[in-house]
């Protein structure tokens, strides 16, 4: 729920004409023997190396912890940062007697860990009561630099129809309370309990964006701007568009792929804005349905083609999406790596599919937890 990507060096982006990208990832802390979520964030924070503590922070529940990569132009720098942070945090968790999982929500049933002791979080619990859903919802947020808020709002209009596709790519929480939920992303279902979680509305201007925020706060739907949980928004802290697209990815490879696709989507949107091409005004309810379908099926089923309103195989939609982003991927030097990473994703399946494959082989959720911990570390 919090954000902590370092400030984007806009002069670096302006000099190259390319867009910076940074990633936030949220993780679950679990008992290494049972796999149940544990309130261990303070113990883990004590074990984080001093030089990395500026990129690690507590999240909403005491069973969660978050990292933020410095923004960069090269995917290699994102890969390096996430790899270093994940390994360091995995080691810190093990020294604290727990395990770090890159997973959307806890698969094993157990007590709900308390919320972190913080005045803002206390106010959220007082206002919204039992909306805290379980062991902890863990997402991935990608920041892409934009030149100004007015451009950013237009980018939000252009990217909103395509976010269900990216949500399908990130599905990584099929199990909850000890059983298969029937969804590829149960985190998405639980997350939607909050009243300010929704597809981004079509925005007329930056003033319209700000007016909606003021209205949502004044009506009690949100406590503050930080609770604007639209799937894409302007960052309240940095000159970025922030896409809050789905579950935290199980591996660094998956996270790098999503970061590349998000940047390409934003770059494509900016090119459309500059060329005067209008955004696709997808009906809100169709978009809600497309997000539900992405959470339910992931990549292994069908998705909603937002241009027609019809169902199509999710992988077919993803292939078309990537081809549409190809010019931006090539401009940023990402095409070859994205092609390789997509081939790996096609072989191994989504995070949800990988979890189910382990459970199908062994019948034990503790084995699922062990496999996710292995992928998390890298």
């Amino acid at each position: 729920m919090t954000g902590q990507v370092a400030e984007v060096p806009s002069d670096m982006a302006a000099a190259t004409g390319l867009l910076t990208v940074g990633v936030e990832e949220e993780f679950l802390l679990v008992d290494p023997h049972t796999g149940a979520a544990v309130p261990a964030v303070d113990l883990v924070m004590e074990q984080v190396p001093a030089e990395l503590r500026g990129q690690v922070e507590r999240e909403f529940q005491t069973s969660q912890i978050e990292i933020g990569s410095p923004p960069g132009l090269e995917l290699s720098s994102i890969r390096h940062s996430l790899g270093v942070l994940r390994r360091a945090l995995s080691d810190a968790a093990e020294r604290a007697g727990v395990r770090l999982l890159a997973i959307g929500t806890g698969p094993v049933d157990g007590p709900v860990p308390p919320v972190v002791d913080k005045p803002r979080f206390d106010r959220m619990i007082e206002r919204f009561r039992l909306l805290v859903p379980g062991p902890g919802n863990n997402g991935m947020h990608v920041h892409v630099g934009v030149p100004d808020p007015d451009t950013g709002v237009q980018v939000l209009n252009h990217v909103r129809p395509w976010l269900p596709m990216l949500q399908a790519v990130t599905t990584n929480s099929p199990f909850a309370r000890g059983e298969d939920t029937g969804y590829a992303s149960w985190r998405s279902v639980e997350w939607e309990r909050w009243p300010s979680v929704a597809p981004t509305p079509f925005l007329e201007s930056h003033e319209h964006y700000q007016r909606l925020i003021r209205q949502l706060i004044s009506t009690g739907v949100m406590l503050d701007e930080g609770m604007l949980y639209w799937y894409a928004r302007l960052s309240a802290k940095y000159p970025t568009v922030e896409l809050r697209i789905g579950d935290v990815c199980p591996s660094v490879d998956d996270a790098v792929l999503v970061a590349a696709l998000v940047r390409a989507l934003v770059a494509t949107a900016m090119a459309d804005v500059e060329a005067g091409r209008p955004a696709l005004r997808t009906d809100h309810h169709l978009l809600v349905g497309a997000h539900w379908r992405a959470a339910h099926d992931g990549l292994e089923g069908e998705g909603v083609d937002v241009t027609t309103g019809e169902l199509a195989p999710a992988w077919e939609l993803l292939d078309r999406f990537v081809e549409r982003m190809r010019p931006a991927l090539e401009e940023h030097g990402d095409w070859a790596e994205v092609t390789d990473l997509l081939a790996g994703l096609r072989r191994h399946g989504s995070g949800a599919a990988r979890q189910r494959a382990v459970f199908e082989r062994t019948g034990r959720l503790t084995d699922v937890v062990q496999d996710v911990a292995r992928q998390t570390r890298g």
Side-chain angles (χ1 to χ4, degrees), residues 2-339:
T2 56
Q4 51 140 41
V5 169
E7 186 169 357
V8 175
S10 56
D11 55 338
M12 178 171 63
T16 62
L18 303 180
L19 303 182
T20 56
V21 60
V23 175
E24 297 168 9
E25 294 187 304
E26 299 162 352
F27 302 100
L28 189 68
L29 302 170
V30 301
D31 184 291
H33 306 294
T34 67
V38 289
V41 67
D42 289 340
L43 294 174
V44 175
M45 289 292 288
E46 291 173 1
Q47 298 296 327
V48 174
E51 66 273 16
L52 296 178
R53 287 180 186 168
Q55 295 172 261
V56 180
E57 65 179 42
R58 293 164 181 80
E59 238 294 322
F60 186 60
Q61 285 171 260
T62 51
S63 52
Q64 297 176 279
I65 196 163
E66 181 182 15
I67 63 171
S69 75
L73 293 173
E74 303 290 338
L75 290 185
S76 57
S77 66
I78 300 299
R79 177 181 294 280
H80 174 75
S81 295
L82 294 180
V84 168
L85 287 165
R86 281 177 173 234
R87 286 190 297 273
L89 216 53
S90 293
D91 289 342
E94 290 183 13
R95 287 193 294 271
V98 299
R99 189 147 292 160
L100 185 79
L101 298 187
I103 196 168
T105 194
V108 176
D109 200 14
V112 176
V115 171
V116 168
D117 185 12
K118 188 175 179 181
R120 179 174 179 265
F121 293 163
D122 292 340
R123 292 196 303 274
M124 289 171 69
I125 294 300
E126 182 180 0
R127 170 76 58 83
F128 300 103
R129 306 296 293 177
L130 291 179
L131 291 189
V132 177
N137 285 161
N138 304 297
M140 174 189 185
H141 309 152
V142 182
H143 289 255
V144 181
V146 291
D148 56 75
D150 292 312
T151 301
V153 164
Q154 293 184 72
V155 166
L156 294 180
N157 287 339
H158 279 262
V159 304
R160 63 190 287 274
W162 311 107
L163 299 189
M165 188 71 264
L166 291 170
Q167 183 179 6
V169 173
T170 67
T171 50
N172 186 35
S173 52
F175 297 103
R177 300 178 183 87
E179 60 182 276
D180 193 319
T181 64
Y183 284 77
S185 173
W186 187 246
R187 181 208 64 87
S188 298
V189 177
E190 292 188 324
W191 184 230
E192 287 171 3
R193 296 181 184 186
W194 292 92
S196 55
V197 173
T200 308
F202 198 92
L203 299 158
E204 302 303 328
S205 63
H206 185 230
E207 194 281 327
H208 181 206
Y209 179 91
Q210 293 175 311
R211 184 170 71 250
L212 282 173
I213 291 174
R214 291 194 299 270
Q215 290 170 337
L216 290 172
I217 293 172
S218 67
T219 55
V221 173
M222 309 187 310
L223 292 183
D224 51 39
E225 187 172 350
M227 282 193 69
L228 186 70
Y229 299 142
W230 293 345
Y231 299 140
R233 68 184 188 184
L234 302 182
S235 171
K237 295 181 179 180
Y238 315 115
T240 65
V241 167
E242 180 186 1
L243 274 63
R244 308 166 62 83
I245 44 179
D247 298 351
V248 63
C249 292
S251 73
V252 170
D253 273 354
D254 298 314
V256 169
L257 171 61
V258 172
L261 292 177
V262 168
R263 175 165 65 178
L265 177 59
V266 172
T268 301
M270 288 182 63
D272 287 343
V273 169
E274 291 169 4
R277 290 186 283 269
L280 182 65
R281 292 194 69 146
T282 306
D283 181 83
H284 172 78
H285 293 287
L286 179 63
L287 206 51
V288 168
H291 278 288
W292 177 86
R293 193 80 199 201
H296 185 273
D297 285 27
L299 283 178
E300 283 65 44
E302 294 185 298
V304 176
D305 183 338
V306 293
T307 65
T308 66
E310 302 296 328
L311 286 176
W315 265 104
E316 179 183 316
L317 293 175
L318 180 56
D319 287 338
R320 277 192 254 151
F321 172 83
V322 173
E323 190 59 36
R324 184 174 182 271
M325 303 303 130
R326 182 167 182 168
L329 290 166
E330 291 180 337
E331 181 183 9
H332 284 83
D334 298 342
W335 176 252
E337 183 164 3
V338 164
T339 300

